[in-house]
Amino acid sequence: MTQVLERPRERGIVVEKKGLTTNYAVAQAVKDVDVDVVAAYPITPQTTIIEKLAEYVANGELDAEFIPVESEHSALSAAVGASAAGARVFTATSAQGLELMHEILHIASGLRLPIVMAVPGRALSAPISIHGDYQDLMNIRDTGWIIYIASTAQEAYDTVIEAFRVAEDPRVQLPVIVSYDGFLMSHTTEPVDVYDPKVVREFTPRRRNTRPILNPENPVTIGALATPDWYYEIKYQTINALKSSRGVIDEVDSEFNEKFGRSYKPVEGFMIDDADYVLVTYGGAATWNALEAAKEARDRGLKAGVLRIRLFRPFPANDLVKVLSNAKAIAVIDRAVAPGSPIEGPVFKDVYISLHMAGVDKPMLSVIHGLSQRTMYIRDFYELYYRLKDIAKNGKSPQESLFMGLR
Amino acid sequence: MAKQVKVGIRTIWDVPKEEYFGPGQLTCAGCGPSLAVRLMLKAAGPNTIIANATGCIEVTSTQYPYTAWAVPYIHVAFENAAAVASGIEAAIKALNRKGIANTKAKVIALAGDGGTYDIGIQALSGMLERGHGVLYVLYDNEAYMNTGIQRSGGTPRFAWTTTSPVGSKIRGKVQSKKDIMSIVIAHRVPYAATASIAYPIDFMSKVKKALDALDEGPAFLHVFAPCPPGWRIDESKTVEIARLAVDTGVFPLYEWDHGKFRLNPPSNAHIDKSKRKPLINYIKPQGRFAHLKEDEIKAMEAEIDSYWDYLTRLLKAFG
Amino acid sequence: MEGLSRIDITFYGRGGQGAVTAAQVLAEAAIHSGLFASAFPEYGAERRGAPVRAYVRVANQYLGIREPIEKPDVSVVFDTRLIDVFNITKITKPNGTIVINSSEDYAKQMLSQFNGKVVYVDAYGISMKYLGKAIVNTPMLGALLRVIGMINIEVVKELIRNTFRGRIGQLNAEAIDEAYKLARVIP
Amino acid sequence: MSELKSWTQIPIGGYITEPKNSMNNKTGSWRTQRPVIDQDACTRCRICWLYCPEPAILELDKPYVAKNGRKYSITFEVNYDYCKGCGICANECPVKAIKMVPEVVQQ
């Protein structure tokens, strides 16, 4: 996780070190890969991405069609149409907007369209909240998209570039979401190394003729009706494509590393090798604050570590198992809830299943925190390490989720 | 690249022989919408991309692994044909401008009355307001036929459907048919017109006119296409009923052409009510109107007269 | 690596006064100067007149912290009435600094309970003079730069000229200069 | 019925890459009555061809001399592979040259 501190190898690739919010970093990446069509509808905290893109288009810095649609449902629908017609397409949304898109999310992956979408995560109504968490993302996790969760503005910039490569790879052909903390990242200005767009475009070459598109010279029917005789097979192709996209995801990242000097693993550990107590996190605020807490705990002799999940779908189960097998107790910090589930942390369930499928049985704690941007203090994470110590001693997983910070 | 058909369609012998839709689609025998699509594509030619809403035409024309379409076709969902078409049009524009592609293909959004009047109206309005160069073709069979005859915003008043049943207290649909054309025209589109499968030459020449207008913005065609099972008519009567709809003044043929309003033959004679055929000729063969009593037929007629009054005023203002 | 040198700054303003922009420009200037910075606003919704906080951390190395600043080293106060709203004399570090848009006398009176350094500037007067309206963010930035010293004022002015193009950018840059010159420490 | 294939054998996304392969659906089997064109009465007006929703009326470059001596360069024939027997052609024929005949009797 320390790679963010390193400067990429100097080969004239970084043209500027900019101070960008994560939303602006995403817009910058979208410009640098030279998309053809942007279709989007404004929603907090996504809005500044599309404002910036509209500005790029208005200034002639990005040669694209900007479709200011009348709803998120139409945003993704227009993206589907444009992608099916062979364009490189981007959209972005949050929260209620992502929910409104839900129907088309399944269709975009089912039709194997390489759309890239940014999702600064946000709480879902009711009560209405514009603030950040990951409830929106968790609600759409089963729609067949590849999902990354970035933890810095730099990573979001890099990941959008990687996302287009992965999405358009003929072995994948799936839509990709790049998510990150609403507000805590989307509106936070941070240093971002911006690359030479020529190099970015070399890295994301246009792939013509690798997939059938809407073209009168070669008429194709997209979105046919499948009877029970056919639905299962066509659906399974998408399931399999998502599962096997992992190879391409790794390959693209290692090429990205070669070209730009940065690399991100599906799970990233910090002080993890000898850690007894591990907080599993995703996103920026939870990860970085947990990391500060881990440093403090280490200063006091507790072997604390952080494991961040960067690739959420396809879920990197084996990677997690490898890293977590030596821990004494594990907590998963969820900024989302699955009400009525056996235990309420949605990612907790994924981690728990991953470990148990591999025969690894550790005391585990499901932590819900940071809903609607309820402040997650470093001291909260610090406290969790000591809870984990007690849990390890006890040897049993608590049967209830811990709703941290709840009055 | 395939050539766009350039010849105008003035007589039956101008109708191109090429077939771009079917046969082998699984529409009901005597399907009005199926004929509408066949005629529409004859006029549009092969350089056309279709974005189809969920509906009768979609489920019957693309049952995997077979397609009835000879032109590029996409179906995404029910409410978003206009949005999908917007995306395709934008993609073509961007790719052509950037030199990545070079296509002259025209985009047609195709939807039924449910996908247009009701669930799709937001996407339609958005597409019209943004000014995409897309032809939106509404094939109107006046109810949700694909799901088994439920009322839509396009179902006429008094009509029986499974969700506007004829009961002892409520007899058929209570509300009137939505005036979709006025809604579309209010978006100040360059070209919008009504058409009928019973008047194919008029319909096909309107398709051509509409496609020619796409450089300036969106165009809209409202095509009347009866449904034998839904209307409870004999399947041989589809065209005859469609013709009666025009001839009785129920479904007037007109166009909104760059700010000018024009009634087309034979409707241009129908401001004079005596030139219209009696309404009963249209109602009587249709099972969906079988329950109508004298006063209900009168009310229906009054509604039609009032619509004609509105059209007459439009003609005065914009003719 | 050299030792950590870090400064936590909170801007207090009202929606429309440009506190969020000021924080962002400061962070960008720090980044352009080769430092690390992160800036984030507390409120994302656009609400004219509502109290707003924006946080900036500047450091000579990467900081992972993603907490709101609870105890700022420097508080930048756009409006004296915000002192009580945010309890600024209590939350600013006792050895820290408050930069305030005020006259000397009023600042003395309002911040009598604060033991740290107080820097005052008539940002209102400067913004009226240069911009013809009470948008005090750029003069407040000028006064702040006098205090923190890590960031070159010319970098900030250049960014301001890029953010607000044309004449407005130039006037804002001049407002920064003037505030930088006129900012005074209460003895 | 088409041959059922494994998920590894079908084009991705359920795309159909062969235009108009619906011609494999021989919808003629739906018919309960068939249109029969009286070639001598037929005036070659093209109306049946125009109004057929399938299309299942073929316009052929086949010369024909009618009993009344009129010579035609084209002939309209019903494509019974696809004709669903709706009878629009018979209903619309201005000279009533098309008769609908029950299929059962035809056998």
Side-chain angles (χ1 to χ4, degrees), chain B residues 121 124-129 182-190 218:
Chain B
I121 198 161
L124 169 62
S125 175
M127 182 195 97
L128 299 177
E129 182 267 334
S182 290
I183 294 170
V184 169
I185 292 167
H187 289 79
R188 305 286 181 267
V189 296

Side-chain angles (χ1 to χ4, degrees), chain C residues 8-12 42 53 55 68-77 82-98 111 113-114:
Chain C
D8 291 1
I9 303 158
T10 305
F11 289 80
Y12 309 86
E42 188 170 55
R53 267 183 291 201
Y55 307 103
I69 293 170
E70 290 188 287
K71 290 248 159 214
D73 297 299
V74 182
S75 287
V76 185
V77 188
L82 293 166
I83 294 170
D84 289 341
V85 173
F86 291 113
N87 209 0
I88 289 167
T89 54
K90 289 266 156 39
I91 62 171
T92 309
K93 279 184 189 155
N95 59 347
T97 306
I98 295 176
L111 300 172
Q113 290 172 10
F114 181 64

Side-chain angles (χ1 to χ4, degrees), chain B residues 167-184:
Chain B
S168 56
K169 294 209 167 113
I170 302 171
R171 297 165 47 78
K173 194 188 175 201
V174 175
Q175 304 82 1
S176 301
K177 187 180 175 86
K178 195 188 278 188
D179 183 2
I180 193 77
M181 283 296 285
S182 290
I183 294 170
V184 169

Side-chain angles (χ1 to χ4, degrees), chain B residues 18 25 68 108 113 175 194 204 218 228 235 267 281 288 290 293:
Chain B
E18 291 79 7
Q25 72 276 21
I108 297 181
D113 48 295
Q175 304 82 1
T194 62
M204 294 170 83
E235 55 220 39
S267 303
N281 295 11
R288 63 173 176 162
K293 294 180 187 148

